[in-house]
Amino acid sequence: MKKVIGILFGGKSAEHEISLLSAKNVYDAMDKTRFDPVMIKIDKNGKWELDNDQMLLLNSDKLSPFDVIFPILHGPFGEDGTIQGFLKLANIPFVGSGVLGSAVGMDKDVMKRLLRDAGIPIGKFLTLKSHEPVPSFAEIKSALGAPVFVKPANMGSSVGISKVTEEPEFAAAVKDAFQYDTKIIMEEFIPGREIECAVLGNEDPIASIPGEIIPSHDFYSYDAKYIDEKGAALEIPAKLDKETTKRIQEISVKVFQVLSCEGLSRVDFFLKDNGELIVNEINTIPGFTKISMYPKMWEASGISYTELITRLIELAIARHEKERLLKTSVV
Ligand SMILES: Nc1ncnc2c1ncn2[C@@H]1O[C@H](COP(=O)(O)OP(=O)(O)O)[C@@H](O)[C@H]1O
Ligand SMILES: [Mg+2]
């Protein structure tokens, strides 16, 4: 019998629109000889929209109408462990990281502290909570240099991110970032190429051929990502020597494991002129649009979009089976 796969998309985050594009592509690429995809849309208010067929499925006497849920939600309320916790409570297998990996991967402050603890190279950063006094730009500059990047701790798609070079821009950047989170981070500017690497697997994850993002804007901003068609060029494979490629792949797998990720993730790097690699971040639910790096890097590595989705679903089932056998409840 074909497995029913619920594609959960949309959502309350600022990345709602991106999710729509990603979900459509996952639906199109899914192997329909093995799977029955069902679209489940979450609107911008967080309300789940189901059509009549879906209501029938939900009302059926099957324990769960879905064999696997494929969350293709970006940012808070989708990529941050909240949906994952909900699916876990509902006892439904789902694609991607569980509660811990998702939450840790979403929080740039906690993520970077764990990476630092594991000896993975990251840039200098400072964290600020909304109830704390804002340091002066001079203080920030003496700790991190200039320019600095100011970001909400939990967000994505470059929403709320500013590059601050001069003191007068600083207050507005802090205010903007605090619109999206009660915690923000400030980072030293890392000059370098932006290299990304896809990871796939549970216990024994594999890393793809790396790709490069070449933004035509000052940095890879929201506009460069989604508004301006010429905002960035993607180069897959990235032009790298063998040794650097290998290092990127090894670090990517390590980052994935250190952060307790499962299923899939995209690890993003800066590569400095001197050959130094700095990990920028992990994305536990990377973009899945037709032009997105994650599926493209796998394609270049010999795994088609359709095969990739099949593998992700199989990984979700394998993880669920393994966890099902644990003695987690006292009977
Ligand atoms: N410390 C930094 N140094 C240089 N560029 C940065 C730095 N942090 C972010 N950027 C730029 O901003 C973009 C978005 O930042 P990122 O931390 O990846 O946020 P998001 O999670 O929203 O993608 C990066 O792709 C890069 O172009
Ligand atoms: Mg990023």
Side-chain angles (χ1 to χ4, degrees):
M1 223 173 81
K2 281 201 239 179
K3 290 201 183 316
V4 181
I5 314 296
I7 301 175
L8 196 54
F9 71 106
K12 274 170 79 172
S13 93
E15 295 166 275
H16 181 92
E17 270 73 26
I18 318 307
S19 167
L20 305 192
L21 288 176
S22 291
K24 185 188 178 302
N25 285 295
V26 170
Y27 180 94
D28 288 344
M30 194 176 287
D31 183 352
K32 312 291 189 305
T33 66
R34 302 181 57 172
F35 307 115
D36 254 337
V38 176
M39 304 300 277
I40 312 164
K41 183 172 173 179
I42 304 177
D43 74 14
K44 284 185 174 169
N45 298 314
K47 198 168 153 275
W48 293 41
E49 289 174 11
L50 299 170
D51 63 25
N52 286 340
D53 289 349
Q54 286 161 288
M55 285 307 285
L56 272 177
L57 261 176
L58 282 174
N59 292 331
S60 70
D61 53 7
K62 257 177 94 181
L63 193 59
S64 157
F66 301 110
D67 293 299
V68 175
I69 294 284
F70 197 131
I72 192 82
L73 299 155
H74 307 303
F77 306 110
E79 200 174 347
D80 62 350
T82 48
I83 280 286
Q84 289 75 13
F86 169 76
L87 294 170
K88 217 169 166 178
L89 281 174
N91 200 27
I92 305 175
F94 58 91
V95 168
S97 291
V99 174
L100 181 63
S102 301
V104 156
M106 186 86 260
D107 188 309
K108 289 180 164 59
D109 164 48
V110 176
M111 168 180 71
K112 280 174 202 266
R113 285 193 274 139
L114 289 178
L115 294 180
R116 187 171 57 194
D117 181 68
I120 291 167
I122 57 159
K124 274 191 261 173
F125 71 99
L126 293 170
T127 303
L128 184 68
K129 294 189 178 153
S130 55
H131 66 274
E132 293 170 344
V134 180
S136 69
F137 187 63
E139 287 172 276
I140 297 295
K141 214 168 143 177
S142 74
L144 305 174
V148 288
F149 271 80
V150 179
K151 317 176 178 180
N154 291 271
M155 198 25 87
S157 291
S158 302
V159 173
I161 296 188
S162 312
K163 181 178 173 183
V164 178
T165 309
E166 306 281 351
E167 201 270 334
E169 307 152 7
F170 182 60
V174 168
K175 196 173 163 207
D176 186 38
F178 272 132
Q179 281 195 295
Y180 301 97
D181 200 347
T182 53
K183 181 169 73 170
I184 67 172
I185 72 165
M186 290 161 285
E187 295 178 7
E188 69 168 316
F189 170 66
I190 315 277
R193 293 164 66 188
E194 292 199 49
I195 310 288
E196 305 190 340
C197 183
V199 181
L200 174 68
N202 288 341
E203 291 90 354
D204 295 310
I206 53 170
S208 73
I209 287 171
E212 179 166 5
I213 302 275
I214 307 162
S216 59
H217 295 221
D218 183 30
F219 69 96
Y220 200 25
S221 61
Y222 185 89
D223 284 5
K225 282 178 181 174
Y226 307 115
I227 309 289
D228 177 4
E229 265 179 37
K230 297 201 176 74
L234 313 184
E235 193 156 81
I236 307 171
K239 288 198 184 80
L240 298 165
D241 59 49
K242 265 202 185 124
E243 181 52 35
T244 309
T245 298
K246 195 164 153 254
R247 265 198 299 145
I248 288 169
Q249 290 171 328
E250 282 168 2
I251 298 174
S252 295
V253 167
K254 196 167 167 202
V255 166
F256 185 88
Q257 291 175 322
V258 163
L259 301 177
S260 305
C261 294
E262 293 161 303
L264 76 162
S265 282
R266 199 190 71 224
V267 181
D268 298 350
F269 294 82
F270 298 114
L271 173 59
K272 291 196 191 171
D273 282 349
N274 64 4
E276 201 184 331
L277 282 165
I278 304 281
V279 173
N280 177 33
E281 63 156 347
I282 195 164
N283 292 281
T284 54
I285 307 185
F288 259 93
T289 70
K290 262 202 202 80
I291 55 155
S292 291
M293 289 293 269
Y294 188 84
K296 285 220 151 213
M297 288 190 285
W298 281 121
E299 240 162 42
S301 312
I303 300 177
S304 71
Y305 202 143
T306 299
E307 167 65 13
L308 176 62
I309 288 165
T310 299
R311 286 209 202 182
L312 287 169
I313 293 169
E314 284 168 350
L315 286 166
I317 295 168
R319 188 254 316 264
H320 189 76
E321 279 307 303
K322 208 164 174 181
E323 288 183 351
R324 207 171 55 81
L325 301 172
L326 298 173
K327 289 187 179 169
T328 44
S329 55
V330 182
V331 212

